[in-house]
Amino acid sequence: MDAAGLTSLLSPDGWALLAALPPYDEARAMALSTRLREEGLDPTLVAAALTQSRLRAKARPKLGEFADGMLFTPAGLEQATRLTVAAHHARRYRDAGCTHVADLTCGIGADSMAFAAVGLRVLATDVDEATAAVATVNLRHFPEAVVRHGDGLALDLVAEGVDGVYADPARRTSSGSRLFDPAAYAPPLDAVLALRETVPRLGLKLGPGVPHSALPDDARAQWVSVDGDVVELGLWFGTLAPEGPGRSALVLVGDQAHAVHGTRAVADVGPVAAYLYEPDGAVIRAGLVAEAAERVRGTLVDPTIAYVTSDELVEDPVLRGYRVLDVMPFGLKRLRTYLRERGVGRITIKKRGTAVVPEQLRKQLDLRGDAEATVVLTRVAGHQEVLVVEPV
């Protein structure tokens, strides 16, 4: 958002227009823009208001009804923490006894809002002036939150009375390309990690693809998923991690939270049993498939594959369960014949540990029929197998 657009939105007329707009509809946006301009409204204001209306609609899955009273930048919304996850961040600081948290990379202010909502004083900073202005608007209902435009790493944390630090370094270039080198983050990861020498209660939000080998030994690393989507890796230090250093997964399903943690390095391997379980992505990223297998009293189908099998049907929100109907060696002709004999015309293909491309396989199978089926292509004890399953 440019300065002119933001200034126009923050005027009384701009705020009133934004509040009066109907729910965003892409198909009607151009006609609405034209009508508003014909009514004499400034084109800069109209464009800014419609952009915010679109971003608010896009933000609702992350921020719920709070999105309707917020302002956004496209990049800030992309990186913003989901409301349910931000609430878990905030509780870590509150439960650790923090009173004044510095959010060094506040973006649009989603995490800072959560911190303030649990009663913490917040000092929020962002290096981008427009983003800092947007965060100021979004934090307007929290007098205990202060937003500054500037480099959070330049803060004198001791002089500011900060007893907890949070950072969500930018992991994309200005053109939107993903950054894989932590030294290229903004701010660089090592520079943020160094702050724990001054303020031991440090928390970071990173992308979930960070390899285990890159994690600091003193961190509690927690991968988080929301309704099956792995959204972040949190690193927590000092008393923000009462569990101590190690790896864990936080699986959020609806309004329920389920934690998985442990130290087992290896799970047992056994033959395919009556049920197949697929661990949540956060559990897999955390390397806790062995712990997930224990939850259903199961074993792995292969030592290198994150599928669990068990003779017991167990309902567990950190694993998705399937009843195993058939198991066979993988072969195109064999699978095609099997499915055609059963009148299968629609197929769901799940895969792990195989180079098969699902869309290519669908074309090769050339199925016709009214029945549906789910097949899992994977390795079983080192061999390529097909498991025909149904969700339970």
Side-chain angles (χ1 to χ4, degrees):
M1 182 190 307
D2 59 25
L6 180 60
T7 299
S8 65
L9 279 178
L10 294 180
S11 68
D13 289 344
W15 204 249
L17 172 62
L18 190 55
L21 289 176
Y24 186 78
D25 184 340
E26 183 71 35
R28 299 181 180 180
M30 184 63 70
L32 178 58
S33 174
T34 300
R35 179 173 65 79
L36 292 173
R37 294 181 194 184
E38 290 175 348
E39 290 176 357
L41 293 179
D42 179 67
T44 298
L45 171 58
V46 171
L50 288 176
T51 296
Q52 286 303 310
S53 180
R54 175 177 58 83
L55 292 174
R56 283 179 171 183
K58 187 177 179 181
R60 286 187 192 107
K62 276 190 173 184
L63 299 166
E65 61 184 16
F66 290 96
D68 294 338
M70 297 174 65
L71 294 183
F72 298 95
T73 66
L77 175 56
E78 180 71 26
Q79 192 161 339
T81 303
R82 288 165 172 77
L83 185 63
T84 53
V85 181
H88 282 272
H89 294 171
R91 284 194 285 270
R92 278 193 182 267
Y93 287 91
R94 182 199 62 193
D95 295 347
C98 293
T99 59
H100 191 187
V101 176
D103 184 350
L104 305 184
T105 54
C106 70
I108 62 170
D111 275 296
S112 288
M113 290 170 63
F115 297 151
V118 298
L120 300 172
R121 291 175 58 208
V122 181
L123 173 56
T125 66
D126 200 277
V127 294
D128 181 73
E129 184 175 10
T131 302
V134 166
T136 301
V137 173
N138 293 339
L139 286 160
R140 66 192 181 279
H141 298 301
F142 301 99
E144 61 272 37
V146 174
V147 180
R148 296 182 192 169
H149 168 223
D151 182 359
L153 290 180
L155 290 173
D156 185 335
L157 298 173
V158 174
E160 296 284 357
V162 167
D163 55 12
V165 174
Y166 177 78
D168 178 5
R171 298 175 293 280
R172 291 185 181 273
T173 65
S174 57
S175 62
S177 300
R178 192 180 300 277
L179 294 169
F180 296 98
D181 180 6
Y185 293 173
L189 181 58
D190 284 346
V192 180
L193 289 173
L195 296 176
R196 66 191 190 279
E197 299 297 326
T198 304
V199 182
R201 289 183 284 205
L202 170 68
L204 292 93
K205 172 187 168 184
L206 302 177
V210 177
H212 293 181
S213 59
L215 302 176
D217 292 338
D218 58 335
R220 165 55 58 167
Q222 185 176 72
W223 283 260
V224 182
S225 69
V226 179
D227 295 329
D229 182 20
V230 184
V231 297
E232 71 170 56
L233 163 62
L235 296 185
W236 306 101
F237 300 89
T239 56
L240 291 174
E243 318 97 314
R247 290 178 277 111
S248 61
L250 179 64
V251 178
L252 303 177
V253 182
D255 58 357
Q256 299 295 312
H258 310 273
V260 181
H261 51 83
T263 57
R264 273 194 79 187
V266 182
D268 295 330
V269 178
V272 177
Y275 299 96
L276 184 76
Y277 293 93
E278 183 178 18
D280 182 87
V283 175
I284 296 173
R285 293 273 192 172
L288 298 175
V289 176
E291 283 72 14
E294 287 185 335
R295 296 168 74 106
V296 295
R297 294 172 286 280
T299 59
L300 298 183
V301 300
D302 186 276
T304 63
I305 300 296
Y307 279 130
V308 174
T309 188
S310 172
D311 277 321
E312 298 187 38
L313 177 58
V314 180
E315 292 187 12
D316 192 310
V318 308
L319 302 106
R320 184 174 183 182
Y322 300 87
R323 179 177 288 104
V324 178
L325 304 178
D326 274 303
V327 182
M328 68 190 79
F330 175 73
L332 178 61
K333 290 183 179 179
R334 180 187 294 108
L335 181 57
R336 181 192 294 128
T337 299
Y338 177 94
L339 296 171
R340 286 183 175 178
E341 286 178 349
R342 289 156 179 80
V344 173
R346 295 179 300 280
I347 185 173
T348 298
I349 302 173
K350 302 180 71 65
K351 53 168 277 186
R352 187 161 288 154
T354 176
V356 173
V357 178
E359 289 309 312
Q360 291 180 358
L361 179 61
R362 280 195 182 88
K363 293 179 181 179
Q364 292 171 326
L365 290 171
D366 191 25
L367 298 175
R368 300 178 182 86
D370 297 326
E372 299 183 22
T374 299
V375 300
V376 177
L377 310 179
T378 190
R379 284 197 304 273
V380 176
H383 302 286
Q384 295 291 329
E385 300 277 336
V386 179
L387 284 64
V388 183
V389 302
E390 64 179 4
V392 293

